[in-house]
Amino acid sequence: THFGFREVPETEKAGLVGQVFSNVAGKYDLMNDLMSLGIHRLWKRFTIDQTRARPGQHVLDVAGGTGDLGAALARRVGPQGRVVISDINPAMLEVGRNRLADKGIVGNVEFVEADAEHLPFADQEFDIVTLAFGIRNMTHPEQALREIQRVLKPGGRALILEFSHPTWPGLGPVYDAYSFHLLPHLGQLVAGDRESYQYLVESIRRWADQETLKQMMERAGFELVEYFNLSGGIVALHKGIKL
Ligand code: SAM
């Protein structure tokens, strides 16, 4: 089933997270641009550069949602390569599939409905695995990291892009004001959904800092783990190698 969805049973779909992304799927891309003032595009571009993806390679984008990374990766691996965009939420995948088709990105991309904690792929199937803004919402993030490690080939690299903890002095209060006051309003105004964005802000606060995620990756079996703070640590890109 190279270009289609692979269905999973209803029981495997996550509750709250699933509901949040079903509510926002149609407005998701617009909200990303608004909330980050477009800067998420730069974070994603940096991530794509760090994949070092080459023509012919096989790449998995876990929690790939509406396909931002997937689209860029598909261009890099070219017609001989393969990009699998997996996500637990069929509404997000549907938006992604339509977006990529609109851009003419077809043939080397595949959409798979799957829980990151139980990836339906063979051991050592991929050269590169990416995961952007998905891990903090997972029930067992360490299990997802172990799965990513498992499906990577030896020498393969994992790139985890996620919100993190601001490191620039003085940034903290500004960032708090923005995320606790302005952001839920934006969610209400644009998506008519204050709760979902409130939940996202809280999940960002609860999530691991840079060093903690690095240790989680090491425990999952990654080597040479390092991270890059982006926008003063609001976001961090973690990179790990499977040796
Ligand atoms: N990676 C995309 C991006 O950067 O624009 C989408 C990020 S979006 C904030 C988070 C995505 O993670 C959603 O599409 C959601 O459905 C997905 N997700 C959450 N929990 C998941 C899980 N356990 N397995 C797979 N996907 C999951």
Side-chain angles (χ1 to χ4, degrees), residues 1 8-10 15 17 35 48 68 89 113 132 169 175 187 211 239:
T1 58
V8 297
E10 198 64 37
V17 174
M35 284 162 37
I48 296 296
D68 275 358
N89 190 307
E113 192 182 326
Y175 182 55
E211 282 296 320
K239 182 173 82 183

Side-chain angles (χ1 to χ4, degrees), residues 17 21 28 32 44 63-65 87-89 92 114-116 132-134 138:
V17 174
F21 286 106
Y28 176 77
N32 268 353
K44 286 171 178 166
D87 199 286
I88 202 168
N89 190 307
M92 294 289 282
D115 185 345
F133 303 113
M138 287 173 193

Side-chain angles (χ1 to χ4, degrees), residues 154-209:
R157 49 171 66 206
L159 284 307
I160 315 287
L161 184 66
E162 189 50 271
F163 289 100
S164 199
H165 291 227
T167 53
W168 281 348
L171 181 58
V174 179
Y175 182 55
D176 280 353
Y178 173 74
S179 47
F180 284 112
H181 301 292
L182 200 58
L183 217 148
H185 281 296
L186 268 180
Q188 178 62 45
L189 266 172
V190 181
D193 185 352
R194 165 181 278 270
E195 271 81 57
S196 291
Y197 285 91
Q198 191 96 44
Y199 166 76
L200 291 180
V201 170
E202 283 159 17
S203 72
I204 289 170
R205 292 316 153 116
R206 277 196 304 271
W207 174 243
D209 66 12

Side-chain angles (χ1 to χ4, degrees), residues 5 13 17-23 25 65 86-94 113-114:
F5 284 101
K13 293 176 187 171
V17 174
Q19 199 196 316
V20 167
F21 286 106
S22 298
N23 289 347
S86 76
D87 199 286
I88 202 168
N89 190 307
M92 294 289 282
L93 285 173
E94 188 59 42
E113 192 182 326

